[in-house]
Amino acid sequence: MIRIGGWSRLSSCDWPGRLVTTVFCQGCPWRCGYCHNPALLPPRSAPVVSWRTVTSHLARRRGLLDGIVFSGGEPLLQPSLADALREARALGFATGLHTGGAYPRRFAQLLSAGLLDWVGFDVKAAPAAYEKVTGVPNSAAPATRSLRLLLDAGLPHQIRTTIDPDLLDRADVAELERWVAAQGVRGHVTTPARFMSPVAGGR
C-alpha cells in the first residue's frame, strides 16, 4: 500500500506526549543538505518492510501504543497514504504525519477527510531562503500553501525548523522567526542539525 524505507516499532519522540510506531516512507522531492535519512530520498527503492507487517504489529499493540506516525522522506509522496491512514484509524489508533508540505493538494485532501490527529510540520526557512535548504527551485510556494492549510484547519501540530548554519546564517534565521510569527505560528521549535546515521529498517 505504501513504500516503507524504515520502521521504528516504538517511539516516544516522534509525536510529543505519545507512544507511537513510526513508519518512514520512501521518497522525497527535496534534497536538504542536512537530511538525516538520505537512503529514503529515492522514491523507487525496495521497501524494507510491508504495510501488512506494520498493521499486524498495530493489531497486537492495541492498548499499548497511542498511535502511528507517518514520517519520511515525504509521506505525501505516497499515493495510498490516505488508505493507510484509514486502516490505522480503523484499528483504533491516532494518526500523525511528519511533512514538509511539498504536496499541498494531497495535504488538503487528508485534512478535509479528517484522517489526521496531529501534524509535525517542517518549515525549512523563510520563503526567500527555501531553495538554499531544499536544493529545489520554487519549493517555498507549495510549503507555504501547506502551512496555511494546516494553520487554518486548527489541527494540533508542531511547527519546527532544523537549523544548519552552513545553509542558514543569522540573518536567515532572524527572517525565519519574523516570517513564522507573521503567519500566526505559535511555539515554533528550532533544533540544530545533527548528522545521524540513516534510520534502520525494522528497528
Side-chain angles (χ1 to χ4, degrees):
M1 179 177 292
I2 58 174
R3 194 175 294 270
I4 301 173
W7 179 30
S8 177
R9 290 177 174 83
L10 176 64
S11 173
S12 61
C13 63
D14 287 317
W15 184 340
R18 300 283 187 106
L19 285 176
V20 299
T21 195
T22 303
V23 293
F24 296 88
C25 298
Q26 188 71 42
C28 184
W30 294 342
R31 295 297 181 265
C32 301
Y34 54 76
C35 181
H36 293 167
N37 294 312
L40 294 175
L41 296 178
R44 300 190 185 281
S45 294
V48 301
V49 66
S50 72
W51 173 241
R52 289 298 160 224
T53 299
V54 175
T55 56
S56 294
H57 174 76
L58 288 174
R60 295 192 301 269
R61 296 299 186 272
R62 287 189 179 101
L64 300 175
L65 290 174
D66 300 314
I68 181 171
V69 170
F70 294 83
S71 190
E74 174 50 70
L76 293 175
L77 188 60
Q78 303 293 319
S80 296
L81 179 60
D83 293 330
L85 288 163
R86 289 187 183 94
E87 282 201 28
R89 292 170 73 87
L91 287 168
F93 291 92
T95 52
L97 176 73
H98 291 173
T99 183
Y103 300 98
R105 183 176 298 179
R106 294 181 184 181
F107 190 38
Q109 290 170 348
L110 299 181
L111 291 170
S112 63
L115 294 175
L116 296 169
D117 296 296
W118 175 83
V119 173
F121 193 96
D122 295 311
V123 173
K124 305 298 184 179
Y130 242 79
E131 185 176 341
K132 288 203 296 184
V133 178
T134 65
V136 175
N138 304 316
S139 49
T144 300
R145 289 198 297 274
S146 291
L147 176 61
R148 186 76 264 152
L149 287 167
L150 175 60
L151 296 175
D152 289 347
L155 194 73
H157 61 265
Q158 181 185 74
I159 309 298
R160 64 274 186 99
T161 302
T162 299
I163 305 295
D164 183 344
D166 291 333
L167 300 173
L168 298 176
D169 59 24
R170 290 184 179 180
D172 291 326
V173 174
E175 177 58 25
L176 166 66
E177 295 291 0
R178 287 192 291 269
W179 184 77
V180 295
Q183 307 314 302
V185 172
R186 301 293 178 264
H188 178 221
V189 176
T190 60
T191 57
R194 294 188 298 274
F195 296 96
M196 305 165 61
S197 298
V199 63
R203 62 183 172 91

